[in-house]
Amino acid sequence: MHRPKAITSALFVLLTVVFVFCGTASAAPQSNSSKHADSSRMLIAYFSLSGNTRLIARDIQRMTGGELFEIRPVRRYGPDFDTAVEQARQELREQARPKLKETISDMSRYDVIFVGFPNWVGTMPMPVFSFLDQHDFRGKTIVPFCTHGTSGPANTINDLKALPLHATVRNALSVYRNDVRDAEGRVRAWLKELGYLKED
Ligand SMILES: Cc1cc2nc3c(=O)[nH]c(=O)nc-3n(C[C@H](O)[C@H](O)[C@H](O)COP(=O)(O)O)c2cc1C
């Protein structure tokens, strides 16, 4: 059947538009929470005094391929447990924001920020509040993880969520201090559920 030339041209233009649109759509960046989140845009920031939270942070680093960052306050805690608890209590009373040795110079490089901490006197250690205060998390995804003693995560996660971060806060992982060395399976399952497991 003979088609008028105008209809053939219109059909060609329409097909070109559909083709270009589909190509653009498939090249669109994936969302943060997608199964194949970009590990080069993941940061694992953690504070750890006695090493438990660091072990979990390293598991997360290995399993996601993200970048590790230790939150290091200028002032030391301790040397013993009781002194550290007294310092933590005083900082909490004063709502202190202890000075950090380093900060992240360009937070725009990251979309997903894991934030790890021990439970200190029922909430996050004040250096973690300093870290959260000093960076812009607007529009980002924050993934908390916590290690703790017998009182569990207590108010840590809720206190983080109450901050005006303007970020999406995903489900936290909490690990009892005696279990951190055997927590790999739990860390893996948690990351898989969130869609951040590298080999997923
Ligand atoms: C200053 C200080 C305060 C703590 N307060 C609590 C607490 O209130 N509740 C709790 O369950 N554990 C508490 N702990 C125990 C830690 O949360 C637990 O040992 C954690 O795994 C330590 O992590 P880290 O090794 O990464 O520092 C406290 C520990 C310290 C040093």
Side-chain angles (χ1 to χ4, degrees), residues 47-54 81 84-85 88 118-122 147-152 177:
F47 171 80
S48 181
L49 187 65
S50 50
N52 296 337
T53 312
R54 182 178 296 113
F81 180 79
V85 170
N119 169 356
W120 269 18
V121 292
T147 70
H148 54 79
T150 49
S151 51
R177 65 178 159 213

Side-chain angles (χ1 to χ4, degrees), residues 178-198:
N178 294 1
D179 297 335
V180 290
R181 272 161 193 81
D182 304 311
E184 263 200 51
R186 277 189 64 203
V187 175
R188 188 179 297 280
W190 170 66
L191 291 171
K192 188 175 170 66
E193 189 175 324
L194 294 176
Y196 297 137
L197 202 56
K198 192 168 53 176

Side-chain angles (χ1 to χ4, degrees), residues 168-179:
T168 303
V169 180
R170 303 210 58 197
N171 281 348
L173 175 75
S174 298
V175 184
Y176 179 49
R177 65 178 159 213
N178 294 1
D179 297 335

Side-chain angles (χ1 to χ4, degrees), residues 68-194:
L68 270 183
F69 175 78
E70 183 172 357
I71 301 169
R72 298 195 304 155
V74 171
R75 185 186 174 209
R76 284 173 181 274
Y77 294 93
D80 52 76
F81 180 79
D82 289 345
T83 312
V85 170
E86 195 34 59
Q87 287 172 287
R89 285 215 176 100
Q90 190 186 348
E91 286 187 354
L92 177 60
R93 268 195 306 273
E94 294 169 356
Q95 280 299 302
R97 293 294 181 265
K99 194 168 160 38
L100 304 182
K101 285 187 177 167
E102 302 96 7
T103 53
I104 300 288
S105 56
D106 185 9
M107 195 52 96
S108 72
R109 284 177 51 212
Y110 307 101
D111 298 322
V112 178
I113 300 104
F114 290 83
V115 180
F117 41 80
N119 169 356
W120 269 18
V121 292
T123 188
M124 296 183 290
M126 290 300 132
V128 179
F129 281 91
S130 299
F131 175 78
L132 293 170
D133 272 7
Q134 286 174 20
H135 298 89
D136 185 4
F137 295 96
R138 218 166 276 266
K140 300 194 183 292
T141 299
I142 291 185
V143 195
F145 60 102
C146 171
T147 70
H148 54 79
T150 49
S151 51
N155 295 324
T156 53
I157 311 297
N158 283 342
D159 289 349
L160 183 151
K161 285 181 176 164
L163 296 171
L165 300 170
H166 307 287
T168 303
V169 180
R170 303 210 58 197
N171 281 348
L173 175 75
S174 298
V175 184
Y176 179 49
R177 65 178 159 213
N178 294 1
D179 297 335
V180 290
R181 272 161 193 81
D182 304 311
E184 263 200 51
R186 277 189 64 203
V187 175
R188 188 179 297 280
W190 170 66
L191 291 171
K192 188 175 170 66
E193 189 175 324
L194 294 176

